[in-house]
Amino acid sequence: MEIHAPQSEPSEAQRAVTMKFTYPSGSKPLEGYTIKRGVGRGGFGEVYFGTSDAGKEVALKLIRRNLDVELRGVRQCLNLKHPNLVALYDIKSDEVDDRWVVMEYVSGESLEDAIDRNPNGMPVPEALQWIHGICAGVAYLHDHGIVHRDLKPGNIFCDEGVVKVGDYGLAKFISCSRRSGQTESVGTVHYMAPEIANGRYGREIDTYALGIILYETLTGKVPFEGESVGEVLMKHLTAEPDLSELEEPYRTIVQKALAKDPDCRLDSVAELAAMLPPAPDGAGYVCRSTPPMAAHDRPGSASPNGAGPARHGGDLPPKVEVAEVVDAEEPILAGIRNGWNYLEQSWREADMHPTLRIFLIVVAVIALVFTAQFWITGLFVAFIVYGIYWLFRAIVVKPKKVRYRVRTQKPVVEQNVTPAAKLATIEQGPPVKAAEPAPIAPAARRQRRHHAQNLRQHLADLVAKKPFRIRFMELVGSMLVSGLVAMTMSLVLLVLTSGGQFTPGPVIWFSVVGMLGAWAIIIPSKFAEGKVEDQASMRFIMLIMGLLVGGAAAGLYNVMAVQLPMEGELTQYPPFFGQTIASPSKIPLVAFVGYFGFLYVILRWWIQASWIRNARLSLWTVGCCVFWAWLLHLFWWFPQPAGMMIAAVIAVTVQFSSPWLPMSQRRREL
Ligand code: ATP
Ligand code: MG
């Protein structure tokens, strides 16, 4: 692929004049808007200046139909509001089903133009205005769970003297189209973090791009240049940038922002902004990091993320300090609380007919009443064991947790402090006390929810994009591991329940049925991963699998003539389909098939095999499976505790042997 050095290219404005656009001035391809003129063309579409029927000036970005457009990312961004972001107004379709992104029209120059005006680097104060503005906008995006992915000077503008970051949210499909459409331009690869080669798109890629932009604003050139896209990419992967032209602190900042390993890079753009000197105050700058009268521009106010604008006005960089050391939360209680919240939320959100709800409540109440003596005893024992554990933990282990806070520092203006005021300050002691954690404002809560939704969506995207080869390898690995886990779990359970007196028969039965039962969940879950979202079809598959596992369990039971763990006298059990079961070795096939069928169809087992489930091994989920197995035997006879034990073996085996994306890695994905 050919490269064109940015300097040798005609400017965007020049290009727009000579470029041919699909729609002429005055045309109305999109209802409600009139095209005034074409502005430019990017990697995947055309940008027009237009007006709405009411007269609002807008930029209209046409996204070509032939690209596999993924507009979810843009939708997430429609309600974002920040002075340093180009506002996105809407996404619309025209009559020929082309998509248009309607956004704020930016009249000023782009950072690319500003760099072109300063081929040897911008004056530092001007560069700081740009970088702080970008940092504030991008940090806001990150706070909302969005990675820009396409930060480059051509996507950063100056509007009415304020820095604005554009094209956020679009990047997800821009980069996809680039990768598939061979429309790669060197202007884009200059800002690409090395880990993109491995398909890793966490927010660190924005920090890397910002490091490159900082370098470019100060020196007039990008750190890695080359004759081809491949050469530039190779330099991102292996070469060290030449930092000799930079002074401190810029040298250290660029070096840390361009670390090859994303885990060693500056933690966030907010951190990058915090390391920079503040953007100088005062008029006279072509472009400023904040609007002159913006609320957060006033000294003492903080931006939502602690990035640049908060310090605009001469504050010192924010300082991270220990706020307080508190007792760490007790994990079992926290787990029970989380489990309960999860259950409550699932119950509230379940798409269930009211009659079914009432039926389930009645069944649960009856079950609780009839089994009161068991669970009250169980609870009592659990309470005592927990009490001992709690005391041991609180008195002997005493785990602690450190909470940090970020403090904005004010420069001390000595001449404004009268001796009397100074004395009063000393007498009152230090003004800053360890702050109580502030109550979560509704906006912050909304923001967190937003963030969680974005994370979920992003993870779902990741799962959907997993290549077949990886899926297949994971499946083979899980199937192999599950044999071992099922055997270990069966052994442990049988030792615990039989007091060490057990024969090899049940161990083999539990291990084999546990392994087959886990396969019956892992295999369909792996194939449906990221594709089948419809619960009904998954339940149907699970039902079939349950019936098959039941058949296999019955077959093995008959072949081995195994004695399954069964409590109480056989005669105490209700007649089964008209016949009383004569002996533990005469359990009919229908008992197995029905039991496993019900066990599989009611629970959403496939979630336990999900790559992005909440925990590697959730004891709460295992408990739910066991509880359901127990509840099941009230209306479909099956020897107990064997039924509950096999449910536990299957649940643990599925969770242990299915791959899981650790939480730390998930956070890095954003
Ligand atoms: P990329 O596809 O990576 O974003 P690009 O930025 O070169 O590449 P476009 O985003 O399609 O391409 O933009 C094309 C032209 O339109 C550029 O000259 C850009 O300056 C201009 N432009 C984009 N968005 C706006 C806007 N909101 N207001 C004014 N001009 C814009
Ligand atoms: Mg662009």
Side-chain angles (χ1 to χ4, degrees), residues 303-317:
S303 79
N305 40 55
R311 299 187 288 101
H312 183 69
D315 295 351
L316 297 170

Side-chain angles (χ1 to χ4, degrees), residues 12-13 15 39-48 58-61 86-87 103-108 110 112-113 150 152 154-155 157 166-167 170 174 178 188:
E12 293 288 354
R15 244 191 290 165
V39 179
R41 188 173 282 139
F44 67 103
E46 296 170 347
V47 178
Y48 294 88
V58 290
L60 296 162
K61 191 161 196 164
V86 173
M103 58 183 154
E104 179 183 359
Y105 177 73
V106 183
S107 52
S110 69
E112 193 175 354
D113 299 331
D150 196 25
K152 57 176 188 175
N155 280 339
F157 306 95
D167 274 357
L170 302 173
I174 298 172
R178 281 210 181 104
T188 304

Side-chain angles (χ1 to χ4, degrees), residues 246-325:
L246 297 177
E247 287 173 8
E248 287 297 353
Y250 309 104
R251 183 180 296 186
T252 310
I253 297 173
V254 170
Q255 188 188 24
K256 290 188 171 183
L258 298 191
K260 307 281 179 213
D261 180 355
D263 295 334
C264 304
R265 204 167 292 157
L266 282 178
D267 218 29
S268 60
V269 286
E271 195 181 328
L272 189 150
M275 288 176 77
L276 285 171
D281 216 355
Y285 292 102
V286 178
C287 214
R288 292 163 49 105
S289 56
T290 48
M293 292 309 290
H296 53 267
D297 199 28
R298 281 176 221 127
S301 61
S303 79
N305 40 55
R311 299 187 288 101
H312 183 69
D315 295 351
L316 297 170
K319 215 167 115 186
V320 179
E321 56 185 36
V322 173
E324 53 186 339
V325 178

Side-chain angles (χ1 to χ4, degrees), residues 47-325:
V47 178
Y48 294 88
F49 167 65
T51 51
S52 74
D53 288 350
K56 190 174 176 66
E57 297 187 338
V58 290
L60 296 162
K61 191 161 196 164
L62 167 65
I63 297 160
R64 291 268 165 72
R65 194 173 19 170
N66 59 346
L67 292 173
D68 181 18
V69 175
E70 156 72 276
L71 283 167
R72 236 178 336 177
V74 194
R75 287 208 180 93
Q76 283 171 21
C77 300
L78 280 177
N79 295 315
L80 298 184
K81 239 184 195 169
H82 192 275
N84 296 110
L85 293 182
V86 173
L88 286 181
Y89 298 140
D90 214 346
I91 310 164
K92 287 177 159 264
S93 295
D94 62 15
E95 279 173 359
V96 286
D97 212 26
D98 275 337
R99 304 295 168 92
W100 294 77
V101 178
V102 185
M103 58 183 154
E104 179 183 359
Y105 177 73
V106 183
S107 52
E109 67 173 356
S110 69
L111 176 58
E112 193 175 354
D113 299 331
I115 292 173
D116 284 351
R117 277 193 293 106
N118 298 280
N120 295 320
M122 287 182 193
V124 170
E126 198 178 326
L128 284 175
Q129 298 287 2
W130 281 100
I131 302 295
H132 274 299
I134 306 168
C135 283
V138 175
Y140 178 84
L141 287 178
H142 288 181
D143 284 351
H144 286 76
I146 292 151
V147 180
H148 190 295
R149 295 190 185 201
D150 196 25
L151 275 181
K152 57 176 188 175
N155 280 339
I156 295 151
F157 306 95
C158 178
D159 187 50
E160 315 247 320
V162 178
V163 177
K164 301 250 176 189
V165 178
D167 274 357
Y168 51 93
L170 302 173
K172 217 175 213 169
F173 63 87
I174 298 172
S175 44
C176 288
S177 65
R178 281 210 181 104
R179 267 178 284 148
S180 53
Q182 289 100 45
T183 53
E184 195 70 85
S185 68
V186 140
T188 304
V189 281
H190 281 145
Y191 307 90
M192 265 188 194
E195 67 269 23
I196 292 179
N198 303 324
R200 196 169 151 179
Y201 285 90
R203 59 171 122 187
E204 306 88 358
I205 65 170
D206 286 346
T207 314
Y208 187 90
L210 247 154
I212 303 266
I213 295 172
L214 174 61
Y215 185 99
E216 196 179 1
T217 51
L218 294 173
T219 64
K221 58 176 187 277
V222 286
F224 302 123
E225 289 175 308
E227 290 296 311
S228 67
V229 168
E231 190 184 339
V232 179
L233 285 178
M234 190 48 75
K235 285 190 178 166
H236 280 302
L237 284 164
T238 53
E240 287 307 319
D242 174 10
L243 303 174
S244 56
E245 280 183 51
L246 297 177
E247 287 173 8
E248 287 297 353
Y250 309 104
R251 183 180 296 186
T252 310
I253 297 173
V254 170
Q255 188 188 24
K256 290 188 171 183
L258 298 191
K260 307 281 179 213
D261 180 355
D263 295 334
C264 304
R265 204 167 292 157
L266 282 178
D267 218 29
S268 60
V269 286
E271 195 181 328
L272 189 150
M275 288 176 77
L276 285 171
D281 216 355
Y285 292 102
V286 178
C287 214
R288 292 163 49 105
S289 56
T290 48
M293 292 309 290
H296 53 267
D297 199 28
R298 281 176 221 127
S301 61
S303 79
N305 40 55
R311 299 187 288 101
H312 183 69
D315 295 351
L316 297 170
K319 215 167 115 186
V320 179
E321 56 185 36
V322 173
E324 53 186 339
V325 178

Side-chain angles (χ1 to χ4, degrees), residues 589-601:
L589 170 73
V590 67
F592 282 94
V593 175
Y595 181 78
F596 280 93
F598 279 124
L599 191 64
Y600 274 56
V601 77

